[in-house]
Amino acid sequence: QGQDPDAERPIEDYTQCIRLDPKNSVYFNSRGLSLMRIGKLDAALGDFNQNLSLEPKSATGHYVRAILRRERKDPAGALADINKAIDLNPRESHHYEFRGHIAYDRQAWKEALADYRKACEKKPDRPSARIRVWLARCRLGERDAATAELSAYVAEHKDLHPWYRNIADFLCGEKTEDAFLAHPLSENEVEARE
């Protein structure tokens, strides 16, 4: 895609590492992530597949391949991989949150809500999942209750990252659209300004 001239450098570095140690699954996973970042999805899938052939019980390997499969519009493959990641490591909150995204994509609001709640249960201070709970509850017609729940969460978490606070304040009606849009639009943008 050509946006960053240095984007290919990690791919070259990991390729060299793979030449030196072709049985190290981490190199395939890392190169796959680098390939994914620049939009080379087929090549990334090949690396993720190789990673999992070397480490079939890698929850992380199944998780990252699930992300790629969702991006490639393969919801069945993404769901199979995220379910495998959950089976291998049921403690990871982001696995449940991601499975919630897959359910949300197909408008299965109750399934999405259950997974977002599970992510919150596994990691109570996960603001992205809290915001997704709000979205799923709104889709289920529970906007007032969802807003009360999210407002309570924000009130309890005074140290909430400014990016998440901005989103939550907007969703709860505490900020106007103009005030919301005046705030940095990404977590990385917030970090760059601080």
Side-chain angles (χ1 to χ4, degrees), residues 9 29 36-37 70 72 85 87 92 95 97 106 113 120 133 143 148 151 153-154 183:
R9 180 174 210 112
N29 196 57
M36 198 166 116
R37 280 187 199 102
R70 180 176 180 233
R72 292 183 71 191
D87 287 345
E92 288 293 336
H95 293 168
E97 186 172 356
R106 56 176 216 284
L113 178 59
C120 293
V133 164
R143 185 183 187 104
S151 292
Y153 173 77
V154 170
H183 198 274

Side-chain angles (χ1 to χ4, degrees), residues 31-121:
R31 187 175 69 178
L33 289 168
S34 296
L35 288 162
M36 198 166 116
R37 280 187 199 102
I38 63 170
K40 294 186 176 182
L41 303 184
D42 291 339
L45 180 60
D47 276 355
F48 293 150
N49 289 341
Q50 184 61 28
N51 169 54
L52 287 168
S53 74
L54 294 167
E55 290 287 336
K57 293 187 179 194
S58 168
T60 299
H62 286 282
Y63 172 67
V64 296
R65 191 170 70 178
I67 293 170
L68 175 70
R69 285 179 161 176
R70 180 176 180 233
E71 192 168 319
R72 292 183 71 191
K73 309 290 187 237
D74 176 10
L79 185 60
D81 269 329
I82 199 60
N83 282 336
K84 184 67 173 176
I86 289 170
D87 287 345
L88 292 167
N89 188 354
R91 296 176 309 282
E92 288 293 336
S93 64
H94 60 274
H95 293 168
Y96 295 97
E97 186 172 356
F98 187 78
R99 189 169 68 182
H101 298 342
I102 295 168
Y104 195 93
D105 289 348
R106 56 176 216 284
Q107 300 179 359
W109 315 127
K110 287 182 181 180
E111 286 177 46
L113 178 59
D115 277 325
Y116 294 144
R117 287 212 182 278
K118 189 75 166 178
C120 293
E121 174 189 313

Side-chain angles (χ1 to χ4, degrees), residues 155-175:
E156 291 171 16
H157 292 81
K158 302 294 184 200
D159 61 342
L160 189 63
H161 190 287
W163 186 66
Y164 289 113
R165 181 171 297 283
N166 185 52
I167 294 169
D169 286 349
F170 175 68
L171 295 176
C172 293
E174 300 294 323
K175 273 194 174 181

